[in-house]
Amino acid sequence: PFQMALYFCTGVLADETLFQHYALNVPFYTHFTSPIRRYADIVVHRLLSASLGARSPIKMEKEAIQKQADHCNDRKMASKRVQELSADLFFSVFVRVRP
């Protein structure tokens, strides 16, 4: 089964095997979408841009970046749970009103 993707700061994790993408079979992987979509994607864009020398480095400690990643993970899981509960509620109402 697919494991849910999690945001994390590579500077706080000692185990580099956590950076790999199992299905793609690549040792280092990052994923992001348009930075207008999610805050986490803005952070990834800024970090990648700084690492490539296209902008100045972000003035955040790695622990602060990990704290932001944890918060994004919590919100993403809460959103997924609310979506699932909403679908369950809709189905319950649908079944109840049907003769």
Side-chain angles (χ1 to χ4, degrees), residues 14-93:
D15 184 5
E16 286 190 1
T17 61
L18 297 172
F19 306 166
Q20 68 187 11
H21 191 288
Y22 177 79
L24 296 176
N25 194 25
V26 292
F28 296 100
Y29 178 81
T30 189
H31 173 82
F32 54 90
T33 61
S34 168
I36 63 169
R37 186 158 176 224
R38 291 184 294 242
Y39 177 72
D41 296 317
I42 293 171
V43 174
V44 171
H45 274 253
R46 289 177 181 169
L47 289 168
L48 285 173
S49 184
S51 72
L52 295 171
R55 66 170 287 146
S56 58
I58 293 178
K59 294 176 173 68
M60 287 177 71
E61 297 293 324
K62 58 187 173 188
E63 292 80 11
I65 294 171
Q66 182 59 48
K67 187 175 178 181
Q68 288 290 324
D70 291 339
H71 179 73
C72 289
N73 290 330
D74 290 343
R75 296 295 85 213
K76 184 170 70 168
M77 284 186 250
S79 174
K80 184 170 177 52
R81 182 69 181 137
V82 168
Q83 182 180 10
E84 292 167 353
L85 290 171
S86 174
D88 291 347
L89 178 63
F90 176 80
F91 182 71
S92 298
V93 171

